[in-house]
Amino acid sequence: MSLVPYGLARPFLFGLDAEAAHELTLGSIARLQDTPAQCLWAQRRVDDPVTLAGLRFPNRVGLAAGLDKNGRCIDGLGAMGFGFIEVGTVTPKGQPGNPKPRMFRLPQADALINRLGFNNEGLDVFLANVRRARSFRAAGGILGLNIGKNAATPIEQAVDDYLIGLDGVFPHADYVTVNISSPNTKNLRALQSDEALDALLGALVRRKAELVQRHGRQVPMFLKIAPDLDEAQIGVIAATLQRHGLDGVVATNTTIARDAVQGLPHADETGGLSGAPVREASNRVIRALRARLGPGFPIIGVGGVMSAADARAKREAGADLVQVYTGLIYRGPALVPEAAAALAAG
């Protein structure tokens, strides 16, 4: 933070339960965004424009989905210097998510484990929040809206939830991300399999064509995938993305692997592991995707970006843009301009 260094706030926040600290921080940003108090964390945005999927991103560093599930802090988070913000995952109906406690810090590993389970207030509240956001987009920031399925919806009917989500967010998004890779909704990752993915993307692409005609605007659509994929699975996903003409891919979500954190407190908690331990798995998937998709296909790299060097490693692996989440929690807002400046320097 520019006036109150994050190093002073972090010990207090880390003294709280992880989810309580998360809610306190988001609640404060929501109340203070677009007021003079925003100067407490506002930072100059690094100017490094890049055009990808038909969108002009002010710089290559974005916020990953999951931090602001209800889209209530778009302007406040954007003031940290992000070139783009992705909010959600939103589901058609509001849902409480999994029982608490469901978020755990592993500070020895610069990591988090969460099993939140797409807790959010539903599509109507989400869209009202998105419509209220003004300053970030007025200054050229790009907004991605991330959609998922309700936990109570049978996996066989998942396509219906994604179509509802796409219908709702399409008029308000700069790009849409289809999240099929959270480990915290039962059977969700089964949608990454060959036939299921083909059916889902086919339905979404057909609906998108209708929405383009109805609204008179193009909105790129990305797919968010898991790091826990083997080479054959990555190959199938890459071929399916190209066959359906998707606009890009977000790689990756959290991991269910625990090799890097064995023996640490909370390491055996169920959920998705994020932060430094997922870095190499994410980079492996990005490299494999780039090799299969060629040089022109947009890839957003996310997973383990804790420093400027980590952001550069994502670019070297083949990502066009990078996103942060856990790094922001451990490092604070200073990570954003540091990473953006490193990427701008080449």
Side-chain angles (χ1 to χ4, degrees), residues 55 137 141-145 170 172-176 217-220:
L55 299 173
R137 300 177 90 179
I142 296 296
L143 181 63
L145 305 182
F170 188 92
H172 309 286
D174 293 320
Y175 71 90
V176 177
R217 64 191 298 259
Q218 286 285 347
V219 178

Side-chain angles (χ1 to χ4, degrees), residues 63-190:
L63 178 70
L67 193 110
D68 185 7
K69 292 179 184 293
N70 292 305
R72 58 182 174 141
C73 298
I74 293 165
D75 289 341
L77 291 166
M80 295 178 186
F82 288 107
F84 63 111
I85 297 276
E86 189 172 318
V87 293
T89 297
V90 66
T91 55
K93 299 174 182 176
Q95 59 183 29
N98 293 319
K100 296 180 181 180
R102 54 193 182 178
M103 182 182 284
F104 308 90
R105 301 185 194 91
L106 289 75
Q108 302 95 322
D110 284 343
L112 295 173
I113 291 174
N114 91 81
R115 51 172 179 265
L116 293 167
F118 288 172
N119 56 309
N120 72 103
E121 296 181 317
L123 191 57
D124 290 343
V125 171
F126 180 82
L127 293 177
N129 289 338
V130 168
R131 285 191 292 266
R132 276 194 291 272
R134 291 282 188 273
S135 59
F136 176 66
R137 300 177 90 179
I142 296 296
L143 181 63
L145 305 182
N146 184 302
I147 59 174
K149 84 165 197 72
N150 279 113
T153 301
I155 197 69
E156 297 80 12
Q157 297 169 26
V159 172
D160 296 338
D161 274 13
Y162 284 99
L163 290 174
I164 291 168
L166 182 61
D167 286 346
V169 303
F170 188 92
H172 309 286
D174 293 320
Y175 71 90
V176 177
T177 297
V178 179
N179 186 355
I180 58 170
S181 52
S182 169
N184 300 319
T185 295
K186 185 179 178 182
N187 295 329
L188 187 72
R189 289 189 172 189

Side-chain angles (χ1 to χ4, degrees), residues 25-331:
T25 302
L26 284 189
S28 299
I29 292 173
R31 286 190 300 274
L32 299 176
Q33 64 187 344
D34 293 323
T35 74
Q38 188 166 280
C39 70
L40 292 171
W41 67 84
Q43 302 174 120
R44 183 185 64 84
R45 186 162 68 196
V46 171
D47 186 34
D48 178 32
V50 57
T51 298
L52 197 72
L55 299 173
R56 184 183 186 276
F57 291 80
N59 65 42
R60 295 179 185 267
V61 176
L63 178 70
L67 193 110
D68 185 7
K69 292 179 184 293
N70 292 305
R72 58 182 174 141
C73 298
I74 293 165
D75 289 341
L77 291 166
M80 295 178 186
F82 288 107
F84 63 111
I85 297 276
E86 189 172 318
V87 293
T89 297
V90 66
T91 55
K93 299 174 182 176
Q95 59 183 29
N98 293 319
K100 296 180 181 180
R102 54 193 182 178
M103 182 182 284
F104 308 90
R105 301 185 194 91
L106 289 75
Q108 302 95 322
D110 284 343
L112 295 173
I113 291 174
N114 91 81
R115 51 172 179 265
L116 293 167
F118 288 172
N119 56 309
N120 72 103
E121 296 181 317
L123 191 57
D124 290 343
V125 171
F126 180 82
L127 293 177
N129 289 338
V130 168
R131 285 191 292 266
R132 276 194 291 272
R134 291 282 188 273
S135 59
F136 176 66
R137 300 177 90 179
I142 296 296
L143 181 63
L145 305 182
N146 184 302
I147 59 174
K149 84 165 197 72
N150 279 113
T153 301
I155 197 69
E156 297 80 12
Q157 297 169 26
V159 172
D160 296 338
D161 274 13
Y162 284 99
L163 290 174
I164 291 168
L166 182 61
D167 286 346
V169 303
F170 188 92
H172 309 286
D174 293 320
Y175 71 90
V176 177
T177 297
V178 179
N179 186 355
I180 58 170
S181 52
S182 169
N184 300 319
T185 295
K186 185 179 178 182
N187 295 329
L188 187 72
R189 289 189 172 189
L191 295 174
Q192 295 177 128
S193 65
D194 192 355
E195 291 183 6
L197 183 60
D198 200 54
L200 174 63
L201 295 188
L204 286 169
V205 168
R206 288 190 295 273
R207 180 62 58 83
K208 180 189 166 187
E210 297 171 9
L211 292 168
V212 168
Q213 292 298 315
R214 185 184 312 167
H215 296 285
R217 64 191 298 259
Q218 286 285 347
V219 178
M221 187 162 62
F222 286 28
L223 181 74
K224 187 164 187 176
I225 64 172
D228 307 307
L229 299 167
D230 61 30
E231 295 295 314
Q233 291 171 313
I234 295 168
V236 166
I237 288 172
T240 308
L241 289 169
Q242 291 179 309
R243 183 167 62 252
H244 288 287
L246 252 70
D247 300 286
V249 60
V250 181
T252 63
N253 213 314
T254 57
T255 181
I256 57 174
R258 294 291 187 270
D259 299 351
V261 296
Q262 282 185 356
L264 294 180
H266 302 304
D268 294 329
E269 294 287 352
T270 300
L273 175 69
S274 63
V278 78
R279 181 189 304 124
E280 291 308 315
S282 167
N283 291 352
R284 175 187 63 84
V285 173
I286 292 166
R287 283 191 291 268
L289 285 170
R290 181 56 73 205
R292 287 161 174 78
L293 294 169
F297 195 93
I299 298 176
I300 299 177
V302 54
V305 177
M306 315 297 288
S307 67
D310 295 335
R312 286 194 298 268
K314 282 277 183 286
R315 284 283 288 141
E316 290 163 4
D320 299 287
L321 309 172
V322 302
Q323 290 179 329
V324 300
Y325 180 154
T326 305
L328 189 67
I329 292 169
Y330 277 92
R331 287 285 320 283

